[in-house]
Amino acid sequence: MSDTSPSESEAPTESPDSAAQPDFDAMTRDIAEVPAVEVIVTVAVNLMSAAAVKLGLTEEGDKYKDLDEARKLVHALAGLLDASATEISSFHAAPLRDGLKSLQLAFREASVVPDEPGQGPGEKYTGPVYG
């Protein structure tokens, strides 16, 4: 007599075809049709939104506030905008820079011990930010 029951030894195996697979070809075609400027602006807006949440600037307030995470996001946004400044038009860049400055000021206000001017998140790229 076997130590394993039929249900253990004959457990059904799931084939890769049975799981829903993402259509990578369609995803590649979709992204290929998106202009680079649109991708850059979308990423910048996502960074701005995430930073606002981590700064406690949303309806939830302090529920998701995390200044360490916010610093990283603001710094990444500043780096992206600095690196892409010549690639995106001022039509796109100006509001993004304004949003970045607002986030930098909000970070300074939210900090218990504010960074020295020029040392705040992203100020390596933007220079000191004053209110």
Side-chain angles (χ1 to χ4, degrees):
M1 177 169 219
S2 171
D3 291 331
T4 59
S5 69
S7 62
E8 290 174 341
S9 63
E10 297 172 18
T13 58
E14 188 171 309
S15 73
D17 295 334
S18 65
Q21 295 289 323
D23 185 356
F24 290 113
D25 290 337
M27 293 166 75
T28 301
R29 281 191 304 274
D30 290 345
I31 199 71
E33 296 170 5
V34 179
V37 170
E38 194 172 320
V39 173
I40 293 166
V41 170
T42 300
V43 170
V45 169
N46 285 332
L47 287 168
M48 291 175 85
S49 298
V53 169
K54 296 298 185 177
L55 284 167
L57 302 177
T58 61
E59 289 179 9
E60 292 88 8
D62 290 343
K63 182 177 179 182
Y64 300 109
K65 189 173 184 177
D66 183 336
L67 294 183
D68 184 50
E69 291 289 302
R71 177 183 293 277
K72 294 170 188 171
L73 292 163
V74 172
H75 189 77
L77 174 61
L80 174 64
L81 295 182
D82 183 58
S84 62
T86 59
E87 306 301 326
I88 60 177
S89 67
S90 59
F91 173 79
H92 294 292
L96 293 173
R97 282 193 301 266
D98 291 344
L100 171 60
K101 182 178 180 180
S102 295
L103 291 169
Q104 288 171 312
L105 291 171
F107 184 91
R108 187 172 302 282
E109 288 177 19
S111 298
V112 175
V113 179
D115 296 315
E116 292 293 319
Q119 301 301 309
E123 291 182 10
K124 167 183 175 179
Y125 302 106
T126 64
V129 176
Y130 302 99

